[in-house]
Amino acid sequence: MSLPRRITWLTAAWLSALAVTAQAKAPEGQALAQAAGIPWPAVIAHRGASFDAPESTQASYLLARELGADYLEMDLQRTRDGQLIALHDTNLGRTTDVATKFPEQKDQPVSQFTLAQLKTLDAGSWFNKAYPDRARSAYAGLKILTLDEIIDLADQDPAHRPGLYIETKAPLLFPGIEKDLTAKLIQRGWLTADGHVAPQHRVVLQTFEKSSLTLLNQFMPKVPKVLLLWVGEGSIEPTSKVAYDPASGETKAAYYARQTPRDHAEFERWLDFAKANGAIGTGPSAALTQGGDQSYMDLVQPWMNQMTHAKGLLVHVYTVDDPVDYQKVMDAGVDGIFTNRSSELLKFYHRPASRSVDDILKANGY
Ligand code: G3P
Ligand code: CA
């Protein structure tokens, strides 16, 4: 073997040893999570355990809590009389019987209803119709919940103390909601008077809106925050600006999967904004193997996660339910997953719940 070739061989051996050492090393995000006091990898129950129970209801959050999810995820909105509630859509049509109870107001935003009006709505029966194989008669009549009620649920069981992962949903419709949220978390003892998360609790704040992140950081500088990522108008600039055409026959999931950030620099600009405005991480979307209505752009490509980690930011990807995709996104380097199926993700992370979904629901009267 000639000397240069031998040097090449030795270099290769050294590099391979380095690679083994690197593999044995804890993932980069794990140390970042530890420093931020965030479980790694994190199980974030998206609208509760919303595969198995109607989203954002007592059944869904209680199930997620009892399964052992790290966080109860919610979309925060505000009623006409100033109450903070959890609901994903900006109107009530998909998940309630608003069309029957308030036909004239059926398309109006949540902000046009008082809490008393919202509490008359049935937020469970739609699930039984949409998913007959998962239907339970006790889901009929479930109510929209206030943030206070979700805090009660999170506080109730000493054996399971999930954190809250709170999104300011459409925050431009609710001026001042960041301040209201701060006041509520302090009032409920989840934040100390000097703005830290209270020792026995976990909170992460999340938003797609840059301006809301800035306000969250202004009012709650010491609370972990995540900037949610999306490609499109008002978000990360796409490579192509061709809008989705339903007449094309392409599914929305396939269209989204084709959307990519204009270039690396554009993606990096969003990371830099997140970092400069107090975020400890980002919440990128994922393209799912099976498609479906929660399959979006692939914003967890390895280079993206590496760039995010290099800036000292964590990656919590939304919304993944299938073990094939859990593996894919973990291999790509994410630090936690928003999931509708906490039971499955906990199994995947080798933290299976001690009771089945059915046992928990039955034990709680569902
Ligand atoms: O908050 C993360 C994820 O929930 C964002 O998507 O539309 O379900 O709120 P969405
Ligand atoms: Ca959300």
Side-chain angles (χ1 to χ4, degrees), residues 65 72 148-162 164 188-190 200-202:
R65 179 190 80 193
L72 308 181
D148 264 320
E149 288 167 326
I150 298 171
I151 290 175
D152 290 342
L153 271 162
D155 274 340
Q156 225 163 42
D157 177 1
H160 298 98
R161 304 295 299 264
L164 300 178
R188 292 303 306 262
W190 278 58
Q200 69 277 30
H201 293 302
R202 279 195 298 273

Side-chain angles (χ1 to χ4, degrees), residues 315-339:
V315 181
H316 287 165
V317 61
Y318 66 92
T319 300
V320 183
D321 288 347
D322 185 325
V324 173
D325 293 323
Y326 295 153
Q327 191 65 56
K328 240 191 219 173
V329 298
M330 288 308 293
D331 289 346
V334 309
D335 304 302
I337 298 178
F338 292 78
T339 185

Side-chain angles (χ1 to χ4, degrees), residues 46-47 73-75 88 165-167 169 206 208 228 319 338:
H46 186 244
R47 310 178 203 168
E73 194 266 352
M74 78 194 70
D75 305 286
H88 176 266
Y165 208 117
I166 307 171
E167 177 182 351
K169 178 61 76 188
Q206 43 156 348
F208 283 103
L228 299 169
T319 300
F338 292 78

